[in-house]
Amino acid sequence: MENIIKKKFIRLSKSSISSLEKLAVEDVLDNEFLGMGPKVLEFEKMLTAFFGRKAICVSSGTSALHLALQAANIGSGDEVLVQSLTYVSSFQAISASGAIPIACDVDPKTLCLDWKDAEKKITTKTKAIMPVHYSGGVGSLNEIYKLAKKYKLRVIEDAAHAFGTEYLGKRVGGFGDISCFSFDGIKNITSGEGGCIVTDDQEVLRKASDARLLGVEKDSEKRYEGQRSWDFNVTLQGWRYHMSDIMAAIGIEQFKRFKDIKNKRKKFAKIYNQLFNESKKIISLSLNFDQVVPHIYVVLIECKTDREVIRSYLLDKGVQTGVHYQPNHTLTAFSSMNNIALDVTESIYPKLLTLPLHSDLVEDDIRYVADLLINCTKDGFFKDSNNAVKFDN
Ligand SMILES: *Cc1c(COP(=O)(O)O)cnc(C)c1O
């Protein structure tokens, strides 16, 4: 009766949690001090050493972006250039600051911000540009910094996907204006939820550091020692955006495991690339996985079959896939200020497909996924009655 063989299910993404994270969380629980304290300080020190400049930890990647914008004095009426093809987090962080997200197109080879399109959208109100390091690559980041210099714009990098990526010999976050990372459950490293802001700008650090704790001046320093401020002043709008010691404890253990996590992600992406190399139907992004640590593995499907038919077929075979992302300029909240056509984004969106990638996969999983996809994108596959008839379009 209980003879059911559990079918293997390959998840699109997931957290990779070892006994180390579990023990570290138990330690914090045993201490019965769960808020922002010495663990957050320890995690920040690790990150600061990693980037070679100061990192401050916050509650999420979204709050990192929001605080960075606020601390850079971007607010009401200002315009921020950002690619439409990003997680809704980038757009919401901009609008939370009071600024207007101006949707830009992407480079079809990297799906990163098209700086030429961004330049066309610069007005007297433009104050910042937010390049999104889509899937872990940074696109033409150098050109974006040149543009920012020419028009005196702040650059707030949405580096949520790019923890560990190197660009022109430097680590993302280790150079530039302000970089924001996410440690949500499925990112390159996780602290459960969480994020960080990395910059050299002392004023931004000061403001973001206070604003994450309701604007209470210098409260961070007290919290690191398990204290709090009783006698204080507040000079700016603040939020409850700090990181907790429970989160930091997870982050610290993940950071120690990062070398292994990074190598697996890179290796799997390289195998996908190799397997799709010959295919004219499955187009990989133009990324060098010696430098890029991929958060997601995205392909463009160039065949007549509807993407959702392919996705249902793969799901039926135990493979979960995703679509990154629904263009933000098409969402009700953002469409009124972005009543424009974005040719590349709109033509590419229906072809986007994200394949499973996380560090608990094995090479055979990657080959299995790639074989299924190569096979089902062959001409006439869904017309053949021996194949999944129910998916025939
Ligand atoms: C994950 C992510 C964020 C935000 O991070 P959270 O920690 O989930 O708030 C921002 N931008 C992009 C592109 C992301 O993928």
Side-chain angles (χ1 to χ4, degrees):
M1 237 175 82
E2 291 300 312
N3 207 6
I4 303 159
I5 297 166
K6 206 172 160 218
K7 202 163 98 180
K8 180 156 185 169
F9 186 70
I10 301 179
R11 285 166 70 177
L12 171 63
S13 51
K14 68 176 205 58
S15 312
S16 165
I17 298 298
S18 72
S19 57
L20 296 171
E21 288 87 346
K22 293 177 191 168
L23 287 172
V25 168
E26 211 174 305
D27 264 357
V28 174
L29 295 176
D30 284 345
N31 283 338
E32 299 185 326
F33 184 93
L34 313 185
M36 175 165 154
K39 283 285 159 192
V40 173
L41 178 62
E42 188 184 335
F43 191 31
E44 286 182 348
K45 282 185 172 162
M46 284 175 144
L47 294 167
T48 298
F50 180 73
F51 293 116
R53 51 188 203 158
K54 186 102 174 92
I56 65 167
C57 285
V58 293
S59 56
S60 70
T62 309
S63 56
L65 291 168
H66 181 194
L67 287 172
L69 288 157
Q70 180 187 343
N73 298 320
I74 289 150
S76 185
D78 295 340
E79 293 181 354
V80 179
L81 303 165
V82 58
Q83 65 194 68
S84 182
L85 197 72
T86 179
Y87 189 36
V88 66
S89 162
S90 324
F91 273 65
Q92 287 286 31
I94 294 167
S95 61
S97 77
I100 303 163
I102 301 297
C104 300
D105 222 337
V106 287
D107 175 342
K109 290 203 164 66
T110 60
L111 304 187
C112 286
L113 186 64
D114 174 354
W115 65 270
K116 289 180 189 152
D117 187 56
E119 183 165 24
K120 286 184 207 146
K121 295 187 164 110
I122 292 176
T123 70
T124 51
K125 293 180 187 161
T126 310
K127 291 286 153 55
I129 184 162
M130 184 182 286
V132 177
H133 301 335
Y134 187 96
S135 87
V138 300
S140 322
L141 191 54
N142 230 7
E143 299 301 328
I144 286 165
Y145 271 102
K146 281 187 204 158
L147 194 70
K149 198 171 172 198
K150 187 168 160 193
Y151 295 94
K152 297 192 169 58
L153 308 177
R154 294 302 300 249
V155 181
I156 291 140
E157 297 178 34
D158 180 340
H161 293 191
F163 190 84
T165 288
E166 284 168 20
Y167 178 62
L168 305 176
K170 289 182 203 151
R171 188 168 277 150
V172 170
F175 61 89
D177 193 359
I178 309 174
S179 306
C180 297
F181 293 85
S182 163
F183 305 133
D184 83 23
I186 56 167
K187 292 287 166 38
N188 289 359
I189 62 166
T190 185
S191 54
E193 298 286 349
C196 74
I197 303 169
V198 191
T199 184
D200 276 331
D201 185 323
Q202 295 306 312
E203 197 195 329
V204 166
L205 288 168
R206 180 78 264 148
K207 282 187 178 164
S209 170
D210 287 348
R212 68 178 162 174
L213 287 160
L214 295 172
V216 175
E217 280 189 343
K218 298 195 167 64
D219 200 27
S220 288
E221 287 78 351
K222 293 256 173 53
R223 301 266 173 168
Y224 292 144
E225 284 156 19
Q227 314 280 319
R228 61 186 286 188
S229 307
W230 296 106
D231 179 17
F232 57 81
N233 193 18
V234 170
T235 57
L236 48 68
Q237 172 66 56
W239 317 90
R240 287 287 277 179
Y241 278 175
H242 58 280
M243 180 178 273
S244 78
D245 268 14
I246 299 179
M247 299 156 88
I250 299 172
I252 289 165
E253 298 309 319
Q254 287 266 304
F255 183 80
K256 292 182 193 159
R257 295 176 51 214
F258 181 57
K259 198 172 167 196
D260 178 51
I261 292 171
K262 170 179 82 175
N263 288 340
K264 284 188 175 150
R265 286 181 169 273
K266 286 176 161 190
K267 183 173 84 178
F268 296 149
K270 283 181 183 176
I271 296 173
Y272 273 137
N273 266 3
Q274 249 170 30
L275 295 171
F276 298 140
N277 197 21
E278 303 280 284
S279 175
K280 294 204 164 50
K281 305 269 177 62
I282 306 157
I283 311 301
S284 306
L285 299 183
S286 175
L287 295 168
N288 177 351
F289 294 114
D290 288 326
Q291 282 140 39
V292 170
V293 182
H295 160 53
I296 46 177
Y297 188 88
V298 176
V299 291
L300 302 181
I301 302 297
E302 298 283 357
C303 74
K304 291 202 184 73
T305 314
D306 186 87
R307 174 190 57 206
E308 294 311 309
V309 173
I310 293 172
R311 291 188 68 211
S312 330
Y313 171 76
L314 293 173
L315 191 60
D316 190 56
K317 301 284 179 198
V319 175
Q320 190 181 36
T321 58
V323 178
H324 293 85
Y325 294 94
Q326 206 170 317
N328 282 272
H329 73 289
T330 65
L331 304 176
T332 302
F334 305 116
S335 57
S336 62
M337 56 272 223
N338 288 291
N339 189 14
I340 34 133
L342 296 174
D343 295 345
V344 176
T345 301
E346 284 159 33
S347 70
I348 265 177
Y349 173 66
K351 302 176 186 173
L352 289 174
L353 182 68
T354 309
L355 302 178
L357 183 71
H358 57 77
S359 61
D360 290 340
L361 291 170
V362 294
E363 277 191 46
D364 278 350
D365 296 329
I366 305 294
R367 291 181 196 283
Y368 174 72
V369 172
D371 281 351
L372 280 176
L373 184 61
I374 290 168
N375 208 25
C376 82
T377 48
K378 284 188 179 141
D379 290 335
F381 179 83
F382 289 101
K383 298 278 187 284
D384 184 339
S385 56
N386 289 324
N387 291 321
V389 180
K390 61 179 169 162
F391 300 116
D392 198 338
N393 62 339

